[in-house]
Amino acid sequence: MADTRQHKIHEQKLNELVKIMPHFVAEYVDDKRDSRSPSTLLNYVHDYKLFFEWLVEKNIANCKDIKDIELSVLENLKLDQAKRFFKDLQRRDIQINKDETKKPEKVTINRKISALRSLFHYLTTQTEKDDGEPYFYRNVMLKVEVNKVKETLGARANKISRNIFHNNEDVSFLNYIKNDYYNELPPKSRSKFYFERDKERDFAILSLFLGSGIRVNELSNLRLRDLDFEENQISVIRKGGKFDTIAVVPESMSDLKKYLLIRSERYKATSEDYDYVFVTKVHNTASPLSNRAIESLVKKYTKAYKSNKSMSPHKLRHTYATNLMDETNDIHLLMRQLGHTSTTTAALYSNPEQEKAKLASKQLGERRKNV
């Protein structure tokens, strides 16, 4: 499994979090390191921490520190207690802003069920005591029902379609950043200063998302050696640590080349093959841009363009995917470009039935114009 910068950061956080976990969680993490990414394991252990804290709070575990929770607590956990944990999660309020809260989505609860199922499965089938038996046999998590999110393919595709650029709006967005954004910033402001410093870099990032459909983690981990200007393609590390090479819109590669012309001088960056492409300047030296920093700048520019609504890098990826399907109608090419393994996922970007329904509704409406 390839080590991305994000994975290394998550591995450090995982190692720290495991220190406060019961011994059997440490064993689980050690066993799964070679088959699960540090990011996945970190999310799982965060879920375990939440679960163990709940066990202590409800006096189901007779201890004060989650590290002292014994295996017998999990072995003897009642079904109604396990269900109560997930119900408590579902009913809690999550703060969106100072005036608004929301309930967790079903998919979030399902992920926590999956995380705990993985731990319980390990403890009941993949461990071994001195007598050759697993730590315990009773797996209460198998009795907890996963509430599947009921949503048709058309509904999912329509949800994606509502939150992306349409009808060459992506081109208009890039033109806005290039020609108009600077003039809308307050005069002599810090935002104006930083935009002047970072405009080539930021424009190259936006252009690359819209010209390749890569994920934010794939972009942040790009090295100089991954760029092929002759063939207009880049090499990326996909989910699961798989290496891949994908085609990029030539204009996006041109925008990338313009950024590279100022990269060394502007950010004090070196030009070694293994250096990260997208950097910022920290204490007068180059430092790789984090995923969060990239997400923030995408939201900043898209909100400025849309006035009241920001977009994420993933929405730019969806925009690229939809444009590619419109141009080629080739679902296998789309799967190749996005790194998908399922035609069902790829089909979200091609929804002809929805378009037919819109056209039919419009034609039906034409009959009423003279009423």
Side-chain angles (χ1 to χ4, degrees):
M1 187 176 293
D3 282 332
T4 66
R5 183 160 47 89
Q6 193 70 17
H7 281 175
K8 290 177 181 177
I9 293 171
H10 285 173
E11 188 160 24
Q12 291 173 354
K13 292 180 178 179
L14 176 64
N15 292 337
E16 289 301 311
L17 190 56
V18 164
K19 291 177 183 178
I20 65 169
M21 291 287 113
H23 71 89
F24 50 84
V25 172
E27 292 176 25
Y28 168 85
V29 169
D30 184 64
D31 187 75
K32 302 299 180 184
R33 281 186 189 273
D34 295 330
S35 59
R36 302 273 174 89
S37 74
S39 304
T40 298
L41 288 174
L42 179 62
N43 287 331
Y44 276 15
V45 178
H46 274 301
D47 291 339
Y48 302 157
K49 181 174 180 287
L50 195 65
F51 175 59
F52 295 150
E53 288 172 342
W54 183 86
L55 291 176
V56 171
E57 178 191 340
K58 300 298 181 182
N59 294 317
I60 296 171
N62 188 22
C63 58
K64 293 182 179 180
D65 194 327
I66 63 173
K67 191 177 180 70
D68 297 326
I69 290 177
E70 297 181 355
L71 281 163
S72 59
V73 175
L74 275 60
E75 180 181 10
N76 298 314
L77 188 70
K78 304 299 182 186
L79 178 59
D80 64 332
Q81 293 172 327
K83 287 183 175 180
R84 172 53 55 190
F85 168 67
F86 295 113
K87 286 179 180 178
D88 285 353
L89 288 181
Q90 284 177 313
R91 293 168 186 175
R92 65 177 177 162
D93 290 320
I94 300 173
Q95 202 75 34
I96 301 174
N97 53 50
K98 64 179 182 178
D99 300 317
E100 191 176 0
T101 61
K102 70 171 185 176
K103 300 295 183 185
E105 295 183 11
K106 282 185 179 180
V107 66
T108 302
I109 304 301
N110 287 343
R111 284 173 188 156
K112 296 186 188 306
I113 295 174
S114 295
L116 283 164
R117 278 187 173 182
S118 180
L119 177 63
F120 274 72
H121 176 73
Y122 169 76
L123 296 173
T124 56
T125 65
Q126 298 174 331
T127 54
E128 188 174 273
K129 297 183 293 188
D130 291 340
D131 59 2
E133 298 298 314
Y135 285 159
F136 59 89
Y137 283 101
R138 183 175 172 275
N139 185 348
V140 70
M141 288 300 162
L142 286 178
K143 301 177 182 179
V144 177
E145 186 179 5
V146 174
N147 295 313
K148 292 185 178 180
V149 180
K150 296 178 181 179
E151 194 174 40
T152 66
L153 187 66
R156 291 172 64 194
N158 197 39
K159 187 185 295 183
I160 288 174
S161 179
R162 289 199 306 268
N163 296 294
I164 64 174
F165 289 131
H166 288 285
N167 301 322
N168 292 327
E169 196 178 8
D170 56 325
V171 178
S172 299
F173 166 66
L174 291 175
N175 286 333
Y176 164 77
I177 301 302
K178 183 178 285 186
N179 302 313
D180 301 322
Y181 178 79
Y182 177 81
N183 297 324
E184 294 180 2
L185 297 173
K188 297 182 180 179
S189 63
R190 288 175 64 84
S191 55
K192 208 157 196 172
F193 166 79
Y194 283 118
F195 177 71
E196 282 196 283
R197 186 192 73 176
D198 298 329
K199 58 185 177 182
E200 290 88 356
R201 183 199 68 188
D202 293 358
F203 190 82
I205 288 172
L206 298 170
S207 180
L208 190 56
F209 275 131
L210 290 167
S212 67
I214 59 176
R215 299 178 177 92
V216 62
N217 196 48
E218 294 164 357
L219 184 139
S220 68
N221 280 289
L222 278 177
R223 314 279 186 127
L224 292 176
R225 66 189 176 209
D226 298 326
L227 311 179
D228 185 345
F229 289 101
E230 289 187 9
E231 299 295 332
N232 287 326
Q233 59 187 23
I234 57 176
S235 298
V236 296
I237 302 174
R238 297 291 199 188
K239 281 185 175 180
K242 299 174 184 176
F243 289 93
D244 199 1
T245 301
I246 58 173
V248 180
V249 170
E251 287 73 14
S252 296
M253 293 299 287
S254 178
D255 294 330
L256 189 52
K257 190 177 289 186
K258 291 173 186 175
Y259 157 63
L260 293 181
L261 291 175
I262 58 90
R263 176 180 169 277
S264 296
E265 181 180 352
R266 192 87 50 89
Y267 301 98
K268 306 300 180 186
T270 61
S271 299
E272 300 292 339
D273 287 352
Y274 55 78
D275 283 347
Y276 290 100
V277 173
F278 294 108
V279 296
T280 187
K281 192 160 66 172
V282 179
H283 303 307
N284 211 36
T285 58
S287 178
L289 274 179
S290 66
N291 287 1
R292 183 173 295 180
I294 293 168
E295 289 166 351
S296 293
L297 73 85
V298 170
K299 288 181 179 179
K300 175 181 72 175
Y301 290 122
T302 52
K303 188 171 185 179
Y305 177 72
K306 286 179 165 282
S307 298
N308 64 338
K309 188 176 182 181
S310 63
M311 295 169 66
S312 66
H314 212 65
K315 294 297 184 290
L316 301 189
R317 172 176 162 86
H318 289 330
T319 298
Y320 168 83
T322 302
N323 288 339
L324 184 65
M325 277 302 293
D326 286 345
E327 283 292 323
T328 67
N329 198 31
D330 188 336
I331 196 166
H332 296 290
L333 173 62
L334 178 67
M335 291 171 64
R336 169 86 173 78
Q337 278 294 116
L338 296 191
H340 285 163
T341 56
S342 165
T343 53
T344 301
T345 305
L348 291 172
Y349 305 102
S350 175
N351 193 18
E353 298 306 317
Q354 183 72 18
E355 296 306 315
K356 287 179 184 177
K358 287 181 183 177
L359 180 61
S361 296
K362 185 177 180 181
Q363 290 170 339
L364 289 170
E366 293 290 331
R367 299 180 303 116
R368 299 172 57 174
K369 284 190 174 180
N370 297 321
V371 175

